[in-house]
Amino acid sequence: MSPRVVVLDYGSGNLRSAQRALERAGARVEVSADPDAALDGDGLAVPGVGAFAACMAGLRAVGGDKLIARRLQLGRPVLGICVGMQVLFAASAEHGIQSEGCGAWPGTVERLDAGVLPHMGWNTVTAPRGSVVFAGIDPGTRFYFVHSYALRAPGAGQLAAAGALISWAEHGEPFAAAVEQGALAATQFHPEKSGDAGAALLANWLETLS
């Protein structure tokens, strides 16, 4: 039977795009803020667009931060997308304001040191050996990004030391394009806007739910 995925509805955009992309990849998908549904789904997808602090406020309003923590305690898969990846880190320095994140991973999301921001468009990603979500995806494959903030390489030491698999992309400087650790995975790019490449990545993630 197809895995059941809940796309967490906490007021952030791209919910229907994420739903359609996951359905195309083979999942049965429900968009919901219901805590029981979010906890019981085979997978929980947490998309996010806009400002980090606003996304965190929306998450806390529906208890999403606690849901994510509880699922991870139970070893139940969670996928963060774009700002939905950023909120998984300990903090953000967006607009010069320190905001607390979910703290599932160590590290602070910071503004990229690049001549042109936002980083908008297609870019390649370098995945490490052992990556599950990039399995079978050609190293030259491009994914679609729209962001100005990310986990930068100088702030990723603690995360790497904790055994997380970090995939990298570059815009002005290297930044974490995806992270995988146990039941938790996330992408800074938008798989739902990345065509066949994004579909392949989502299908790989769905394989981990069975």
Side-chain angles (χ1 to χ4, degrees):
M1 184 179 286
S2 300
R4 187 170 68 85
V5 175
V6 173
V7 175
L8 187 62
D9 184 358
Y10 63 98
S12 182
N14 280 354
L15 300 178
R16 299 300 169 186
S17 295
Q19 177 186 13
R20 287 191 295 270
L22 284 160
E23 286 172 344
R24 284 195 299 270
R28 293 173 293 135
V29 185
E30 176 184 355
V31 176
S32 179
D34 179 71
D36 291 333
L39 198 56
D40 292 343
D42 297 319
L44 178 68
V46 185
V49 295
F52 181 101
C55 283
M56 276 306 304
L59 263 184
R60 291 191 180 104
V62 301
D65 52 338
K66 293 181 174 62
L67 282 169
I68 291 168
R70 182 60 180 150
R71 282 190 65 96
L72 295 178
Q73 282 177 347
L74 296 170
R76 312 213 66 188
V78 176
L79 175 69
I81 297 172
C82 197
V83 183
M85 170 176 170
Q86 295 179 8
V87 295
L88 297 170
F89 292 105
S92 168
E94 189 167 322
H95 306 307
I97 301 167
Q98 193 84 357
S99 301
E100 187 178 339
C102 291
W105 282 322
T108 298
V109 174
E110 299 175 298
R111 184 179 174 88
L112 291 174
D113 185 7
V116 176
L117 289 174
H119 170 217
M120 183 182 297
W122 298 85
N123 204 344
T124 55
V125 174
T126 302
R129 279 184 79 164
S131 169
V132 172
V133 297
F134 288 96
I137 296 175
D138 187 87
T141 301
R142 294 178 178 271
F143 296 86
Y144 190 79
F145 291 83
V146 184
H147 66 114
S148 297
Y149 293 80
L151 182 73
R152 301 164 62 213
Q158 233 183 323
L159 182 62
L165 294 179
I166 306 175
S167 298
W168 296 96
E170 189 158 332
H171 181 72
E173 62 175 328
F175 65 88
V179 181
E180 303 163 67
Q181 187 177 35
L184 186 56
T187 65
Q188 180 59 67
F189 54 84
H190 287 275
E192 78 281 7
K193 296 181 180 180
S194 297
D196 291 345
L201 181 136
L202 291 175
N204 282 343
W205 181 67
L206 293 178
E207 285 288 324
T208 71
L209 309 188
S210 53

